[in-house]
Amino acid sequence: MALLEVLIFPHRILRQKCEPVTAIDDATVKLLKDMAETMYASKGIGLAAPQVGILKRVIMLDVGQGLVSLINPEISSSDGASVREEGCLCLPEIYVNIERKEKIEISGIDPKGKPVSFEADGLLARALQHEIDHLHGTLIVDRLSRLKRDLVIRKFRKLQLKAQK
């Protein structure tokens, strides 16, 4: 296993849509293992393949209930809404309030190639939606009003400049 580099906003790959995984081969299995190691080392609760420069529909997360790895995830239904604070490994030190669906039904393929589907709510549903957003090239700042987005991006750039000094 190997730690992968987590891309930082505004890297262009973070804005691209991902391609479906067509076969679970050795490279896919290695990617899953490396992503898990990277997510835990980064102290994140989720990670999507584009965050490590791979434009494939692969996500993983662990919200305290064990590692969940999904290939080609899709949300088939959703219900309710809630607003909670979110952060992102691609925008270090930035936390914003985001509205997400409270309950979702999701399907995908597990690392062994078997189709899976389940319902999720609370933090698990929120994390799944966040990671699936990454597969579409969407970041948390895109879910803010234009004014808030501009303020957050300005704050992030100041933090980046300060960190470089």
Side-chain angles (χ1 to χ4, degrees):
M1 292 196 296
L3 285 179
L4 304 170
E5 177 188 0
V6 176
L7 303 180
I8 302 298
F9 175 85
H11 198 287
R12 65 178 178 76
I13 286 178
L14 297 171
R15 295 306 194 169
Q16 295 181 36
K17 291 188 179 189
C18 294
E19 296 294 323
V21 173
T22 56
I24 301 174
D25 54 16
D26 290 345
T28 305
V29 172
K30 182 178 180 344
L31 174 63
L32 289 166
K33 289 178 181 176
D34 291 348
M35 283 178 62
E37 183 177 355
T38 301
M39 179 186 73
Y40 288 125
S42 302
K43 298 189 176 18
I45 64 167
L47 190 66
Q51 291 179 275
V52 293
I54 308 294
L55 290 171
K56 294 290 183 184
R57 293 186 56 80
V58 175
I59 64 170
M60 64 181 37
L61 38 97
D62 187 342
V63 298
Q65 303 167 353
L67 184 65
V68 175
S69 299
L70 282 175
I71 298 164
N72 300 333
E74 296 290 337
I75 296 172
S76 54
S77 66
S78 60
D79 189 39
S82 66
V83 176
R84 287 188 56 187
E85 187 176 76
E86 289 185 27
C88 182
L89 295 175
C90 296
L91 288 151
E93 299 183 50
I94 296 295
Y95 300 92
V96 294
N97 287 322
I98 302 292
E99 182 175 315
R100 300 259 187 210
K101 295 296 184 179
E102 184 62 31
K103 295 179 183 181
I104 62 171
E105 188 169 319
I106 189 162
S107 61
I109 302 168
D110 75 10
K112 294 180 180 172
K114 295 183 181 177
V116 294
S117 64
F118 57 94
E119 291 183 1
D121 61 8
L123 182 58
L124 179 58
R126 178 170 292 277
L128 285 162
Q129 291 170 82
H130 178 110
E131 299 311 328
I132 289 171
D133 270 358
H134 278 294
L135 303 181
H136 298 283
T138 302
L139 301 174
I140 55 175
V141 292
D142 300 324
R143 296 201 168 268
L144 301 172
S145 70
R146 185 177 182 148
L147 176 63
K148 284 184 182 177
R149 180 176 49 248
D150 290 347
L151 289 170
V152 168
I153 290 172
R154 208 172 306 135
K155 176 183 176 183
F156 179 70
R157 288 189 175 132
K158 284 181 185 177
L159 288 169
Q160 293 299 99
L161 286 172
K162 187 177 179 182
Q164 292 173 356
K165 291 181 180 180

